[in-house]
Amino acid sequence: MQKKKLVEMYRMMLLIRRFEERAAQMYGMQKITGFCHLYIGQEAVGVGAIAALRPDDYFISAYRDHGHILAKGTDPKPVMAELFGKATGISKGKGGSMHLFDVEKGYMGGHGIVAGQIPLATGMGFAIKYKKEDKVVVCSFGEGAVHQGSFHESLNLAKLWKLPVIYLIENNRYGMGTPLERASAIWDLSQKAESYDMARATVDGMDVLKVYDVVAEAADRARKNGEPTLIEARTYRFRGHSMSDPVHSHYRTKEEVEEQKKKDPLIIIKDKLLKDKVLTPATVKELEAEIKKIVLESADFAENSPVPPLEAVYEDVYAP
Amino acid sequence: MPVLTFREALNQAMAEEMERDPNVYLMGEEVGYYNGAYKVSQGLMERFGPERVIDTPIAELGFAGVGVGSAMVGLRPIIEMMTFNFSILALDQIFNNAAKLRYMSGGQFQIPIVFRGPGGAAHGLGAQHSQCLDPWFCNVPGLKVVAPSVPADGKGLLKSAIRDNNPVIFIESEVAYGFKGEVPEGEFLVPLGVGEVKREGKDVTIVAWSKMIHVALDAANALAEEGIQAEVIDPRTLRPLDEQILITSVEKTNRCVIVEEGWPYAGVGAEIAHRINMHAFDHLDAPVLRISSKDVPMPYALNLEKDVMPNAQKVVAAVKKVLYI
């Protein structure tokens, strides 16, 4: 892989991490309200997957979506402003943390009902085939979503109709406070693809390069043959389910979280790039400084933006 | 003017719109090879091919979502629900996605999609296949709801629904598919949100839609024999509702009876009664009355089914009540 691309992936993971650390602070200061789900710990999955796509490919995901929209290339300013509920937000302050969208960048949201976006991704795949376009869709969801009917209905349709969709399970081990072993009859989640005779893969979701490779391969298969793929990326969230859930409560121990943090995806890629001399300690420092500036600017932008005018409440209910 | 059945009028609307716009496609259970469970899509697969008339497995949630997802990126799907009873499995996609994507994205999407199929009772289909779900959909901002009563409206409204850039719930009727009526050929559009006076009268306003229009007209005929001139108003679209046509009629007649096939609790008729109270209260000489189905799941036995449903006799009795005779 090109050096530039490697650095860009690291830089994006760093941006997402620092952006969300700032968002968490802002949440503490009540600048951000409602449900806010941090992606910290899972950055390698979204960044690796999106790096393997073309800019006009689609990415759609659930409510843990800050990292995805940033990775798809959206300016952090309107993203932070959306979290703040400001008029300059990417969804004009109508969506919030769970409903970020950037259609121009191919980021299709930001969906709050577990597994609700999976049929949407399948429909985008259908449209790509209908219009004979050369695009693919990546649909990200948590491991909690694989028990929903919409997941299974979608996989069947995608395989039946040969749709260019990559279903990406971001298995962070817990559906809110319920560990996988208390929710799933099987451990190896990509096995579910076998029911639909679909290609499948399991990947270490803490290693951005491995995620990149497996998604690139699936994208190739989707583009060339219209074959969908089910990928399970094994990852871990370092923070609580949402801001109201402590990092370690009754459902997981502090020891477990600390153990998992040894596999921090940011450290894994940074160490590799330092070892391979793609980065030097000096360039890492420069990147940190650049990212810090971007994040601070996004928070300032959000802070200084106006709230939506009350007239906006009736806008965009219906299209003209 | 040609006389068509309701199903032929709907078929014509879809065929014309598919001819007009290559992004329009039809998807649902049995719509293709089988030509539709109620033959509304007769001949469409043969004409437009299996790429545009798409049979699905029995997976309402899945294919409803496929429709919404494809609309997010520029297609204009018509999703057939074999009956609207089955749309209950797809409500997550309809309520949470189709109705909300535009709003919660700050206007980044338009979702031009039609969910169509028959609603309400037919003839001895039992509780799970006889539901009139109009008020469920009417309750949700972001959706439009259409319920045509005659073939010409069926064609003109369906063409408008397909061209509309919003999700439209288009509720037909199993028993009405065979009803015949004059239907204009070719380009004939009935705008959404505009009602029609189906019969003029001066003594009482009867509001009804979908197949209840025929109950209302039967009642109006019976009343005419007794010298009572009922005006029958068909809003045709339930959301957005043509308030003005209702108010104008009530201002003239001073009395109103609403006939709806659904259940009484929180029905569309309750909303219409509220609007008339709000905007025509000073013109009313009697409380607005509602005739609905009885507040029970639909029983199978035909005598019980008949008892549950609105009919002309019940409407006549209600009209006499508001006339104090």
Side-chain angles (χ1 to χ4, degrees), chain B residues 172-200:
Chain B
E172 302 154 11
S173 158
E174 277 122 309
V175 287
Y177 281 139
F179 289 3
K180 288 182 177 172
E182 289 191 333
V183 178
E185 283 179 284
E187 184 74 352
F188 170 67
L189 296 167
V190 175
L192 304 189
V194 179
E196 189 176 63
V197 179
K198 293 294 187 197
R199 177 196 171 106
E200 285 191 22

Side-chain angles (χ1 to χ4, degrees), chain A residues 71-137:
Chain A
K72 204 73 177 77
T74 303
D75 181 348
K77 287 192 183 99
V79 178
M80 189 66 90
E82 188 60 35
L83 305 190
F84 276 57
K86 295 297 182 75
T88 54
I90 191 73
S91 305
K92 296 186 187 165
K94 300 268 194 71
S97 162
M98 296 191 286
H99 304 304
L100 304 168
F101 296 86
D102 191 346
V103 174
E104 272 182 37
K105 300 279 185 190
Y107 181 65
M108 309 307 271
H111 297 268
I113 306 296
V114 170
Q117 78 277 23
I118 305 177
L120 297 180
T122 311
M124 289 170 208
F126 173 86
I128 289 167
K129 188 178 177 191
Y130 188 98
K131 295 194 268 187
K132 298 184 171 62
E133 292 174 334
D134 185 33
K135 295 182 186 176
V136 303
V137 188

